[in-house]
């Protein structure tokens, strides 16, 4: 479904250039739950932004469902079926949760339909459906509302960039349950999560380890996770990679 061919990305200023991603080749198949992990600063989030179209590669091509999407904008990729969830969800003053879910779905879904998506992410619909998506919501609430909008869109590829960032342990536990449900429902397309949390890695079909802009390990969870946990540097994949919520609990 998604294919990256020789993707590189570098940033430059008047003094020097720095290559963040180096000639990465990657395929993500239909219906897979894939987690990209690795040390901080290794290029994980940059890779997610390249896939979503937030930034464009310096070289290489990106294909989605057989079509070249390298030069497409975020909006164009969204129309093609790619969703992207930010580390810090965007707040929308004046827009209610119900409005946001309806906009995401692209259809005139009923109130009951919008409430169902909130229930899917563990939120009591009556408490949230009419609230504004603003500063009154916590980080965990915003994360789950953002996931509800992605569920409403029914995308073929959903990309989550470090969804555990900035949320409390209770919200993290609910997040894991949401991902488990998404993984079990094949009709929700492929899921790509950028994370260094062991509990998220533990429900992946495939784990990809990115370090210094390169893919250094890739394979099934049963093969890659024991390697990560068996090294001094990953005693708690969370430890080396800077995670907090959900580590070793």
């Amino acid at each position: 479904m998604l294919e990256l061919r020789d993707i590189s990305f570098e940033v430059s200023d008047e003094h020097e250039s720095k290559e963040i991603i180096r000639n990465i080749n990657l395929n993500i198949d239909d219906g897979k739950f894939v987690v990209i992990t690795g040390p901080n600063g290794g290029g994980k989030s940059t890779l997610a932004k390249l896939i979503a179209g937030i930034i464009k590669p310096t070289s290489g091509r990106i294909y989605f469902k057989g079509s070249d999407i390298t030069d497409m904008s975020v909006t164009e990729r969204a129309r093609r079926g790619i969703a992207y969830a930010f580390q810090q969800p965007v707040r929308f003053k004046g827009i209610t949760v119900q409005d946001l879910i309806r906009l995401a779905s692209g259809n005139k879904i009923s109130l009951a339909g919008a409430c169902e998506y909130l229930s899917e992410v563990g939120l009591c619909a009556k408490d949230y459906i009419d609230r504004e998506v603003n500063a009154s919501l916590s980080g965990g609430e915003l994360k789950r509302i953002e996931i509800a909008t992605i569920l409403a869109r029914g995308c073929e590829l959903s990309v989550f960039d470090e969804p555990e960032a900035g949320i409390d342990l209770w919200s993290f536990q609910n997040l894991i349950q949401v991902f488990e449900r998404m993984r079990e429902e094949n009709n929700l397309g492929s899921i790509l999560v950028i994370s260094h949390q062991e509990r998220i890695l533990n429900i992946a079909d495939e784990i990809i380890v990115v370090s210094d802009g390169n893919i250094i390990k890739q394979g099934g969870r049963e093969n890659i996770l024991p390697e990560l946990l068996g090294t001094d540097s990953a005693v708690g994949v969370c430890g080396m990679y800077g995670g907090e919520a959900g580590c070793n609990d």
Side-chain angles (χ1 to χ4, degrees), residues 139-141 143 163-169 171-173 175 245:
E141 289 170 329
K143 283 282 176 71
E164 70 274 10
I167 64 174
D168 57 51
L169 181 59
S171 294
F172 179 77
Q173 291 170 334
L175 181 67

Side-chain angles (χ1 to χ4, degrees), residues 8-201:
S8 294
F9 177 75
E10 66 178 38
V11 292
S12 304
D13 58 28
E14 57 185 22
H15 302 295
E16 62 178 351
S17 295
K18 181 179 180 181
E19 198 169 34
I20 309 298
I21 297 293
R22 297 182 174 87
N23 298 314
I24 278 184
N25 290 283
L26 175 63
N27 288 287
I28 294 177
D29 296 330
D30 293 338
K32 295 294 185 181
F33 190 110
V34 180
V35 179
I36 297 179
T37 192
N40 290 331
K44 305 185 303 296
S45 291
T46 298
L47 196 55
K49 290 180 174 66
L50 286 165
I51 291 169
I54 295 171
I55 55 178
K56 300 293 177 65
T58 306
S59 62
R61 310 303 296 176
I62 301 175
Y63 296 86
F64 183 60
K65 297 187 296 185
S67 298
D68 189 337
I69 63 169
T70 312
D71 299 317
M72 290 184 182
S73 66
V74 175
T75 301
E76 290 172 313
R77 294 188 198 199
R79 289 173 181 153
R80 292 278 179 133
I82 299 176
Y84 179 82
F86 292 87
Q87 283 188 33
Q88 299 297 327
V90 180
R91 299 174 190 269
F92 300 93
K93 186 177 180 180
I95 295 181
T96 67
V97 172
Q98 181 179 187
D99 293 335
L100 196 60
I101 293 175
R102 283 178 170 167
L103 285 169
S105 72
N107 301 307
K108 293 182 178 179
I109 61 172
S110 65
L111 175 61
C115 288
E116 187 175 333
Y117 288 118
L118 288 177
S119 297
E120 280 289 312
V121 296
L123 293 177
C124 178
K126 69 176 183 179
D127 293 337
Y128 289 91
I129 196 70
D130 293 321
R131 288 183 63 177
E132 285 191 20
V133 188
N134 57 24
S136 69
L137 296 168
S138 70
E141 289 170 329
L142 283 169
K143 283 282 176 71
R144 283 188 279 165
I145 289 167
E146 183 177 48
I147 293 174
T149 64
I150 289 175
L151 294 176
R153 286 188 58 194
C155 289
E156 294 182 63
L157 175 64
S158 300
V159 182
F160 297 88
D161 188 5
E162 297 196 24
E164 70 274 10
I167 64 174
D168 57 51
L169 181 59
W170 187 86
S171 294
F172 179 77
Q173 291 170 334
N174 278 273
L175 181 67
I176 294 296
Q177 293 173 2
V178 171
F179 281 147
E180 287 175 333
R181 286 197 296 271
M182 291 177 72
R183 180 177 179 270
E184 290 167 1
E185 297 181 24
N186 294 330
N187 62 322
L188 292 176
S190 300
I191 302 168
L192 177 62
V193 181
I194 310 299
S195 180
H196 36 55
Q197 295 299 329
E198 183 179 341
R199 288 175 62 186
I200 293 179
L201 291 164

Side-chain angles (χ1 to χ4, degrees), residues 215-229:
I215 294 176
I216 60 171
K217 291 180 187 294
Q218 181 176 358
R221 173 188 69 246
E222 65 280 1
N223 295 320
I224 302 299
L225 189 55
E227 291 183 31
L228 292 176
L229 298 178

